[in-house]
Amino acid sequence: MFGVQFAVSSGRCTRGAFMLLIRVKEDFKVRLGCDYIMVIDTEGLKSPELAQLDDSYEHDNELATLVVGLSDITVINIAMENSMEMNDILQIVVHAFLRMKEVGRKPCCQFVHQNVPDISAHGSNMRDRKLLLEKLNKMTQAAAKMEKKGNNKTFTDVMEYDPERNTWYITGLWNGNPPMAPVNAGYSESVDLFKRSVIEKFMEQKSGDSSAHTIIEFLEWTKSLWKAVKYENFIFSFRNSLVAEAYAQLCTEFNQWDWAFRKNMYSWLMEAETKVSNFGTEAEFKNLDELLIHLKTQALVQLMKGETLILSNLTEFYKRQEGHVHLVEKYKEDFNITANTIRRETENSVKNKLEAAVEIRKGMFRLERIKNNQTATMEKKVQGLIEKCRKSKDLSDQQLEDEFEKMWDETVAELRFPGMEERDIVQNIYHQLWVNFEMKGSSVCEKLSKVGNLSEYGRKPLKVKSKHLGLIKWLWNVSSGKELKFQQVVDHIIEQSKQFVDEKVRTRSDYHKTYTMELLCKVDEILDRHRNLETTAEFQAKLKIHICGHAAREFQKMHLAFIHANDPHHCLEQFKQQYYTDFKDLFNKRDQCQKKANDFTSNCLQPAVKECITKTLGLDLVDEMLSGQNAFAFSTRTFFQFSILEQLLENDDFQDFVRYIENYQVFVHDWILELMVKQFSEGDSLRNVEMNRLKMMVSRIKKAIKNAQMKADEQAARWGEEAQNIQQFIQDICSDLAKELIIPKDPLRSVLALNSAKPEDFSWCLEVLVDEMEQAFTAEFQKGGDVRARLTSLPFQPQKELFNRVFGCGRQCPFCKTPCEAGGKSHTEHFASIHRPQGIGGSRYEDSRKLLCGICSTDVTSEMEFMSPATEGKWHPYKDYRRIYPDWLIQPDTSIQASDYWKYIFSKFNKQFAEKYEAKPADIPPKWRHITQEQATESLKESFQMNRRLN
């Protein structure tokens, strides 16, 4: 068809695979989109020479996979549809197509029926096509079952194939028996039509998924494909540098979309909570329930917009013509599910926070009405006292104070102070534990029923014992090793829970039941992440009771502190001195403008601005980290893993490796925090972030002051000077800022009370004081201070957000415990770029107690067997590990350089690891001892495809 000749054997046919480059003419290059067409030919499938060999089927599979994997269009000659040999060849080819689909390639398939005697028999040909497609569908189902890819039901699921367009019937070359028979003219016409169809297909693919490769890309693909075929990687997975690069790009961009979504929702939630806190300032809604319904509706709209945008970006990503995005087509559904998961989790969180904010505000709203009435009463009493004292002449300061004290005591005695009702938070949390345990079985419920006072639990350390692990005790490496690991997990869960409780307590808000719900969900999430430890339900109950005991004590204190801080009598007494000062100023007819403006600035605006900067600082710092030159620049777990391992190698500290291996989650969190502390302790980045937010807020406040002044001037022009009202002027400023700032209610009430300043004078004083406030904040930012304490005290902690981005699902390899690097939170398959010798995690031989040297990425290509709790004490072939761990993909690798990084580490610290795990040193292979640190670094770069990415 292309006028080429291949080298042939004595049997006049090719053996193996042969390829030739055909140069494309200059005037045709643009239309075709390439400079060369590569033609690959093989007729070696089911060859008689190899038929006698036991592994001939494997050879045919390897050859078919290699040829199909290198091709954009596959032409299958069918000259013997009904023969058993042809069925075998089709079965082999279907396996190859199925494997290619798994790596993102879906080539076009063309079937050519040769030596057809009557090409005009259209009806017969249609029946043949239908029968062929049915046969291919059955073969696809069989191949999918064998390859454990049961979601492929039809041939078109794995191959671009249209029975009408991709099936050809070509008559024989001779009319009769050669060599004396004449040439069949229809043969050339049929071949020419077929050739034109192939060329048209090339043109369609010119800018699509199968666009032309460069020579370098083709060589890289061939190298990786051959390696995969050679080591049977297709039974598990196939990821070469092109796939890794495309996947890294997908993860990077998805993380950017994810962060944009989360940042938008967090910013929206801050505005919503501010609106709830300021309810009553504006008369937009009748009551808080109406406001809650409105906010929930708005939240759903924002969530749907965010999810739609992520999905839209994902769709556009897969439409790109560059970057080999078709190679990661298999991951598209995972990221679709992740987008839905992100929206659903965010929706639950937003809903809980809105309900908590509204419920707490309802309690405060009743108190504020009481406080407003008390303020009005006290203001009236002070005005009456002023008139009374003015009638008396020459009163000394002591006499004025005595009169004020007398009036104050009489008024306080007359007032009623119905505060907030004290709730039993301990009992509330105990009830939520019952709800959480109700589906856990009778033994768990019985354990909870024996709990007397929940607040007495969680005072002593919780120790793990072997009976808490639901494992068969005689299995290898179960007893001390598993107990030690689970003790670390339990300690981590308890520490995380304490941090969560501390964060809630620091808000100085009231307790809400959603706090305990969220806490228990966090515990379940971490336990699920470590479900391989198979803890008993009874111990999980014991752990939750321990955690909730501590939470009950702290949340009860938090609730009581909130009641005390908002007690009407306490709040009134707080401002007694200010009432006395206002009384003297009014009695002596002093100008209150400067004093009231100062009170409003220092007691109302300044804490509101500080709270706003504190709330938004975490968001701004995440943006700063993502735009900087650090491990988060790529925003992928793979790159982050590489950065950590590279630094560990440079530090060369055994204890660092132990911390990384034993408690990966804590290590990563601390590593991120240290990275941020270092970055924001040097230079001006933290101060610049704070200053930018401060300037925005100061500008916004000045604008609100001018707007209030314009309104006051308009009223004065319309109704005269007497229309000016300082209380209304201040309330106008607060209403203007209600979307951004939460002005403290009690100090504001004090500023409004007994205020006789003129709006124009107050406005001028206020602008000057706002400038001074900005200078005071600037001086505070200049000092710097303890960056670590600052980061850990923020309501939105940037280190936690960055941790969630790079930590991922938290799953670990079932053999060597290396962490999963898959992108997207809801991925269905876990994988890692580099695996470790299992002895690094403490695995040892039971008889000799020597640490194991085996590396799972090598073991899965061997004939070795493993035994674990998941196999119920039975030996199982490593090659068939996916029957036991179906959600893990371990990249098989038998190359000499596999895991050189960890081989170097294990060899160097062999004795230290043995001492750590109370075992004997491993029998390190001699070749491992010759690996240098430079080779370990290169192995790390190769494993994570960093040489290609960094260049």
Side-chain angles (χ1 to χ4, degrees):
M1 183 170 67
F2 291 100
V4 298
Q5 290 184 340
F6 292 94
V8 296
S9 67
S10 58
R12 304 299 299 167
C13 69
T14 56
R15 295 175 60 184
F18 286 77
M19 58 182 69
L20 286 175
L21 283 174
I22 302 175
R23 183 185 294 274
V24 178
K25 291 184 178 179
E26 291 295 330
D27 59 346
F28 204 54
K29 286 182 179 180
V30 176
R31 293 178 60 193
L32 207 56
C34 62
D35 298 318
Y36 293 91
I37 294 175
M38 177 172 284
V39 180
I40 307 173
D41 182 58
T42 175
E43 294 179 17
L45 300 185
K46 305 300 295 182
S47 62
E49 295 90 337
L50 296 174
Q52 305 300 321
L53 301 178
D54 291 337
D55 60 352
S56 63
Y57 184 79
E58 292 184 14
H59 169 270
D60 291 338
N61 263 289
E62 291 170 354
L63 186 59
T65 302
L66 180 64
V67 173
V68 170
L70 294 176
S71 306
D72 296 311
I73 296 178
T74 302
V75 179
I76 301 175
N77 289 322
I78 299 179
M80 41 186 170
E81 295 100 317
N82 299 320
S83 72
M84 184 62 68
E85 288 186 3
M86 194 63 232
N87 288 342
D88 289 345
I89 290 176
L90 288 177
Q91 187 76 55
I92 291 169
V93 171
V94 167
H95 272 271
F97 287 153
L98 182 65
R99 291 164 179 175
M100 284 302 103
K101 183 198 174 185
E102 290 303 308
V103 300
R105 289 179 66 87
K106 200 173 181 182
C108 174
C109 182
Q110 302 278 353
F111 286 97
V112 177
H113 296 258
Q114 288 185 289
N115 303 325
V116 179
D118 184 9
I119 61 172
S120 63
H122 179 75
S124 176
N125 290 343
M126 286 298 294
R127 287 192 297 273
D128 291 343
R129 292 173 187 172
K130 185 177 179 181
L131 290 173
L132 175 63
L133 185 58
E134 289 177 357
K135 183 185 297 184
L136 291 169
N137 287 341
K138 291 180 180 178
M139 291 179 177
T140 301
Q141 293 170 15
K145 185 176 181 181
M146 187 178 298
E147 300 277 356
K148 301 180 180 64
K149 302 294 179 184
N151 57 325
N152 298 286
K153 303 297 183 183
T154 65
F155 184 65
T156 52
D157 287 339
V158 300
M159 176 54 53
E160 185 182 328
Y161 173 69
D162 182 347
E164 289 289 330
R165 295 181 56 196
N166 301 122
T167 306
W168 299 84
Y169 294 88
I170 299 178
T171 59
L173 177 60
W174 308 101
N175 274 329
N177 296 320
M180 300 303 295
V183 174
N184 187 345
Y187 174 83
S188 298
E189 294 176 1
S190 299
V191 171
D192 185 62
L193 286 173
F194 175 51
K195 179 180 178 180
R196 290 175 182 272
S197 174
V198 172
I199 297 299
E200 287 176 3
K201 190 63 184 176
F202 280 150
M203 291 179 180
E204 291 177 11
Q205 295 176 337
K206 176 173 64 174
S207 59
D209 290 349
S210 299
S211 56
H213 285 293
T214 64
I215 294 295
I216 294 176
E217 289 174 344
F218 180 78
L219 292 175
E220 183 67 31
W221 180 269
T222 304
K223 174 185 173 183
S224 299
L225 183 62
W226 173 245
K227 183 179 178 182
V229 170
K230 183 178 178 182
Y231 296 122
E232 301 179 40
N233 285 24
F234 281 105
I235 301 300
F236 313 94
S237 175
F238 169 58
R239 299 179 71 242
N240 75 341
S241 60
L242 298 180
V243 180
E245 186 176 3
Y247 187 78
Q249 184 63 28
L250 172 60
C251 291
T252 299
E253 297 199 26
F254 188 87
N255 283 345
Q256 292 171 355
W257 309 330
D258 178 18
W259 169 237
F261 171 79
R262 292 180 187 277
K263 181 181 179 182
N264 178 67
M265 287 309 303
Y266 185 80
S267 299
W268 181 90
L269 182 61
M270 280 196 299
E271 292 180 7
E273 290 177 326
T274 300
K275 184 171 286 190
V276 171
S277 295
N278 289 330
F279 181 78
T281 305
E282 300 174 295
E284 186 178 352
F285 299 96
K286 295 178 182 178
N287 52 52
L288 280 165
D289 290 328
E290 187 178 298
L291 174 61
L292 179 60
I293 293 171
H294 171 74
L295 291 176
K296 283 185 175 180
T297 303
Q298 271 195 331
L300 288 176
V301 172
Q302 291 293 323
L303 288 161
M304 289 178 65
K305 282 183 179 179
E307 182 186 12
T308 301
L309 182 58
I310 292 177
L311 295 176
S312 175
N313 288 334
L314 191 62
T315 300
E316 290 300 317
F317 178 88
Y318 277 98
K319 288 181 180 179
R320 293 180 187 173
Q321 299 176 4
E322 72 282 351
H324 303 288
V325 296
H326 60 283
L327 299 178
V328 290
E329 181 72 32
K330 63 177 288 188
Y331 300 106
K332 185 176 181 180
E333 186 58 28
D334 283 351
F335 282 91
N336 275 326
I337 295 173
T338 296
N340 180 261
T341 302
I342 293 169
R343 183 200 61 78
R344 189 173 62 252
E345 290 179 350
T346 307
E347 180 180 345
N348 292 334
S349 175
V350 168
K351 177 185 172 184
N352 289 338
K353 284 182 170 62
L354 288 176
E355 289 177 351
V358 167
E359 191 169 325
I360 292 171
R361 182 69 181 127
K362 281 181 179 179
M364 289 298 298
F365 207 55
R366 183 180 65 86
L367 287 179
E368 284 172 10
R369 285 198 297 268
I370 295 171
K371 292 176 183 179
N372 288 337
N373 292 334
Q374 292 172 350
T375 300
T377 299
M378 191 60 71
E379 190 173 10
K380 185 177 179 180
K381 291 284 187 178
V382 171
Q383 293 285 7
L385 182 61
I386 291 172
E387 292 179 10
K388 175 185 174 183
C389 291
R390 281 178 178 169
K391 291 178 182 178
S392 302
K393 297 181 180 180
D394 302 326
L395 288 177
S396 66
D397 286 346
Q398 185 60 49
Q399 289 175 317
L400 285 174
E401 184 176 352
D402 293 340
E403 289 292 332
F404 179 83
E405 285 288 344
K406 180 181 177 183
M407 180 276 300
W408 183 272
D409 292 339
E410 290 174 354
T411 306
V412 168
E414 293 172 4
L415 291 172
R416 295 178 64 242
F417 298 97
M420 295 179 67
E421 183 180 349
E422 183 179 326
R423 293 179 290 156
D424 190 343
I425 305 302
V426 176
Q427 191 61 32
N428 181 284
I429 294 175
Y430 181 70
H431 173 71
Q432 290 193 66
L433 272 174
W434 270 109
V435 174
N436 186 263
F437 289 162
E438 61 185 359
M439 301 300 291
K440 301 294 185 179
S442 58
S443 60
V444 172
C445 292
E446 182 182 356
K447 188 175 187 66
L448 185 59
S449 66
K450 294 179 180 178
V451 173
N453 184 358
L454 181 63
S455 63
E456 293 302 316
Y457 286 77
R459 295 183 182 277
K460 298 178 181 179
L462 183 61
K463 297 298 181 182
V464 172
K465 299 178 181 179
S466 58
K467 65 180 181 180
H468 298 145
L469 297 167
L471 308 174
I472 304 172
K473 291 186 179 180
W474 52 267
L475 292 180
W476 62 285
N477 195 28
V478 168
S479 54
S480 60
K482 289 292 181 182
E483 287 180 27
L484 176 62
K485 174 63 178 175
F486 191 58
Q487 184 67 61
Q488 293 168 351
V489 172
V490 167
D491 292 343
H492 172 68
I493 294 174
I494 293 173
E495 181 60 31
Q496 289 289 299
S497 301
K498 287 182 177 179
Q499 289 182 17
F500 173 83
V501 173
D502 289 345
E503 288 170 15
K504 294 299 182 184
V505 171
R506 280 201 303 269
T507 63
R508 297 181 182 178
S509 180
D510 197 6
Y511 167 80
H512 192 264
K513 62 182 180 180
T514 55
Y515 298 169
T516 302
M517 293 165 56
E518 191 176 347
L519 175 61
L520 292 173
C521 284
K522 285 183 177 292
V523 174
D524 286 333
E525 182 181 334
I526 302 176
L527 284 172
D528 181 65
R529 195 181 296 152
H530 296 281
R531 61 175 177 264
N532 60 300
L533 293 171
E534 300 186 25
T535 57
T536 62
E538 289 77 10
F539 181 75
Q540 292 184 24
K542 185 175 183 179
L543 174 62
K544 289 180 179 179
I545 291 170
H546 178 93
I547 289 171
C548 286
H550 168 78
R553 291 193 298 275
E554 296 303 312
F555 284 147
Q556 187 72 62
K557 292 177 186 176
M558 171 187 180
H559 174 63
L560 295 176
F562 183 78
I563 290 177
H564 175 72
N566 291 279
D567 177 66
H569 184 229
H570 172 74
C571 292
L572 188 63
E573 290 292 339
Q574 269 188 317
F575 294 98
K576 179 181 178 181
Q577 183 60 38
Q578 195 162 332
Y579 274 104
Y580 175 61
T581 305
D582 290 341
F583 161 70
K584 288 202 302 181
D585 288 341
L586 291 173
F587 176 80
N588 295 311
K589 297 182 180 181
R590 296 180 188 135
D591 184 9
Q592 283 189 304
C593 185
Q594 180 70 29
K595 176 182 174 297
K596 286 290 186 180
N598 185 70
D599 289 344
F600 182 62
T601 304
S602 59
N603 299 333
C604 297
L605 292 180
Q606 189 164 331
V609 170
K610 186 172 185 177
E611 182 184 14
C612 181
I613 293 175
T614 301
K615 281 185 175 181
T616 57
L617 183 59
L619 296 175
D620 296 335
L621 293 182
V622 171
D623 283 336
E624 185 74 14
M625 289 297 292
L626 294 179
S627 63
Q629 297 298 317
N630 51 54
F632 301 100
F634 283 85
S635 298
T636 64
R637 289 160 199 156
T638 301
F639 186 84
F640 187 78
Q641 276 293 319
F642 169 78
S643 300
I644 288 183
L645 292 175
E646 186 179 41
Q647 183 171 321
L648 283 171
L649 187 62
E650 291 175 359
N651 294 346
D652 199 27
D653 188 322
F654 174 71
Q655 292 304 323
D656 283 348
F657 280 105
V658 170
R659 288 176 54 240
Y660 172 81
I661 293 164
E662 286 193 338
N663 206 330
Y664 171 69
Q665 184 170 350
V666 174
F667 180 89
V668 171
H669 185 275
D670 292 346
W671 195 85
I672 292 172
L673 181 58
E674 291 301 322
L675 187 69
M676 296 190 70
V677 169
K678 181 180 179 182
Q679 177 158 329
F680 292 121
S681 296
E682 301 171 355
D684 300 327
S685 56
L686 178 58
R687 186 174 72 248
N688 291 340
V689 169
E690 292 173 320
M691 286 301 302
N692 289 337
R693 184 64 63 174
L694 174 63
K695 288 177 181 178
M696 290 172 57
M697 294 314 306
V698 168
S699 175
R700 183 70 186 86
I701 291 171
K702 288 182 175 180
K703 183 179 179 182
I705 295 171
K706 288 181 180 177
N707 291 340
Q709 184 62 56
M710 289 174 59
K711 185 177 179 180
D713 291 344
E714 289 174 2
Q715 290 178 341
R718 183 178 300 177
W719 305 107
E721 190 71 23
E722 65 276 4
Q724 290 191 334
N725 184 306
I726 185 61
Q727 284 78 15
Q728 185 61 48
F729 179 82
I730 294 174
Q731 287 173 347
D732 286 341
I733 294 174
C734 294
S735 296
D736 199 344
L737 296 171
K739 290 183 179 180
E740 292 95 354
L741 297 178
I742 300 176
I743 307 293
K745 303 292 187 301
D746 292 337
L748 177 61
R749 196 178 293 110
S750 176
V751 170
L752 293 173
L754 301 170
N755 192 336
S756 61
K758 293 183 178 180
E760 185 177 354
D761 297 336
F762 187 86
S763 174
W764 182 85
C765 289
L766 197 56
E767 288 186 354
V768 174
L769 289 167
V770 167
D771 286 334
E772 292 179 2
M773 179 187 72
E774 182 179 11
Q775 293 171 9
F777 272 119
T778 301
E780 182 182 339
F781 297 155
Q782 294 280 3
K783 292 179 182 177
D786 190 341
V787 175
R788 186 189 307 277
R790 187 78 188 278
L791 291 174
T792 54
S793 65
L794 293 175
F796 181 89
Q797 296 187 16
Q799 64 273 18
K800 290 192 175 182
E801 172 62 28
L802 294 172
F803 170 81
N804 291 333
R805 291 168 63 81
V806 299
F807 182 70
C809 64
R811 296 288 188 268
Q812 292 176 296
C813 171
F815 301 112
C816 70
K817 309 307 176 190
T818 194
C820 170
E821 298 163 19
K825 188 171 184 178
S826 300
H827 51 262
T828 55
E829 293 178 334
H830 310 292
F831 62 80
S833 299
I834 182 172
H835 291 263
R836 318 165 184 162
Q838 294 177 33
I840 284 181
S843 296
R844 69 196 71 137
Y845 294 104
E846 283 298 304
D847 51 355
S848 66
R849 298 190 59 78
K850 291 183 178 180
L851 295 176
L852 290 170
C853 287
I855 302 174
C856 42
S857 53
T858 303
D859 291 343
V860 294
T861 68
S862 69
E863 301 300 323
M864 295 175 62
E865 295 181 329
F866 70 92
M867 180 173 62
S868 72
T871 66
E872 298 180 349
K874 299 177 183 178
W875 290 101
H876 191 83
Y878 269 106
K879 272 192 173 183
D880 201 20
Y881 76 95
R882 294 209 70 187
R883 287 193 178 183
I884 307 299
Y885 305 109
D887 55 349
W888 260 93
L889 289 172
I890 299 175
Q891 179 83 5
D893 197 343
T894 59
S895 62
I896 297 175
Q897 291 79 26
S899 301
D900 267 4
Y901 176 92
W902 286 109
K903 290 176 183 177
Y904 169 80
I905 299 301
F906 196 30
S907 177
K908 181 171 184 177
F909 298 116
N910 186 15
K911 291 183 179 179
Q912 289 94 320
F913 278 120
E915 291 174 3
K916 172 67 182 175
Y917 298 121
E918 298 180 353
K920 293 182 180 180
D923 292 329
I924 301 294
K927 290 183 179 179
W928 292 18
R929 301 183 187 279
H930 299 294
I931 300 173
T932 64
Q933 184 170 342
E934 291 72 22
Q935 288 174 320
T937 303
E938 284 304 310
S939 169
L940 190 66
K941 292 179 180 178
E942 179 69 23
S943 298
F944 285 97
Q945 305 286 345
M946 284 300 142
N947 284 324
R948 183 182 181 90
R949 285 184 220 175
L950 297 176
N951 292 332

